[in-house]
Amino acid sequence: MILRSIQLLVGLVLFGVGCAVMVQAGIGLDPWTVFAQGVSRQTGIGIGWVTNIVGFLVLLAWIPLRQKPGIGTIANILLVGTSMQLALGVVPVARGFVVQVLVFLAGTALVALASGLYIGANFGPGPRDGLMTGLNSRFGWPIWASRFGVEAFVLVAGWLLGGTVGLGTVLFAVLIGPAVHLALPWFDRRPRHTATAAVAQPAV
């Protein structure tokens, strides 16, 4: 239990740091971070704090979907955005296209490693992943369709609000699933039947 708790906390903090690295690369972001960045630019609230707020609001959407949060879900809301916000004060902005791509890939790799840690700890899904599984269980929508519909909406909304969409957005979409698939077995502490049913691409 103690080792799983440490694994969860380390994974969530590293996830936020990885997101901060991708933000500083400046070549595009995953859909939820595009949305958080867009809201941040419109409100002046730090992107990490927006990530926490959005996570809480998404959690409220679990109520009509009859989803129950775990300890990991609450920790996710509190830690990912906070660590992202703190890391943004330390991680420098990347300059030059090649450097930006390399920095973004490093951030993606860190997010994949962090995903393996927090998912493998088995303390409950992140609020955004829970939204996808909730739509699946409540309405019978396929996970892929739920994910595509929700993430397409937040991506477009974030872009309209001023979030960064670009090469990084495409790279993340292509790479994160296989990368998490490679990372998860290193840290997976879940029952075998649960592990095989995992959502391959995290949407913390």
Side-chain angles (χ1 to χ4, degrees):
M1 181 71 170
I2 294 177
L3 289 178
R4 286 174 58 216
S5 299
I6 293 173
Q7 179 175 319
L8 171 72
L9 297 177
V10 171
L12 293 176
V13 170
L14 287 180
F15 196 105
V17 173
C19 288
V21 171
M22 293 191 297
V23 169
Q24 298 298 62
I27 59 170
L29 298 163
D30 66 277
W32 284 102
T33 310
V34 169
F35 181 71
Q37 187 182 56
V39 173
S40 174
R41 288 177 171 173
Q42 294 299 318
T43 63
I45 302 172
I47 185 173
W49 308 133
V50 173
T51 298
N52 287 349
I53 294 168
V54 170
F56 175 73
L57 294 177
V58 171
L59 184 62
L60 294 180
W62 284 29
I63 297 173
L65 296 176
R66 301 173 186 172
Q67 293 284 91
K68 294 181 179 181
I71 296 173
T73 311
I74 305 303
N76 189 301
I77 294 171
L78 296 174
L79 292 179
V80 171
T82 302
S83 59
M84 183 196 303
Q85 190 66 38
L86 295 176
L88 285 170
V90 178
V91 179
V93 175
R95 305 292 183 187
F97 180 71
V98 174
V99 174
Q100 288 176 287
V101 172
L102 292 175
V103 168
F104 186 88
L105 292 175
T108 302
L110 189 55
V111 166
L113 179 65
S115 299
L117 282 163
Y118 91 79
I119 294 173
N122 194 31
F123 277 111
R128 296 156 184 81
D129 274 329
L131 177 62
M132 314 301 175
T133 56
L135 290 170
N136 170 258
S137 61
R138 187 76 171 86
F139 301 110
W141 300 352
I143 291 288
W144 70 265
S146 301
R147 179 179 293 280
F148 178 81
V150 172
E151 293 191 350
F153 174 80
V154 297
L155 178 66
V156 173
W159 176 67
L160 292 174
L161 290 169
T164 306
V165 177
L167 175 62
T169 309
V170 178
L171 289 174
F172 189 89
V174 171
L175 296 175
I176 192 62
V180 173
H181 180 76
L182 290 174
L184 185 55
W186 300 350
F187 310 106
D188 201 350
R189 299 177 181 273
R190 299 166 302 158
R192 186 173 299 275
H193 73 278
T194 304
T196 57
V199 179
Q201 181 173 323
V204 171

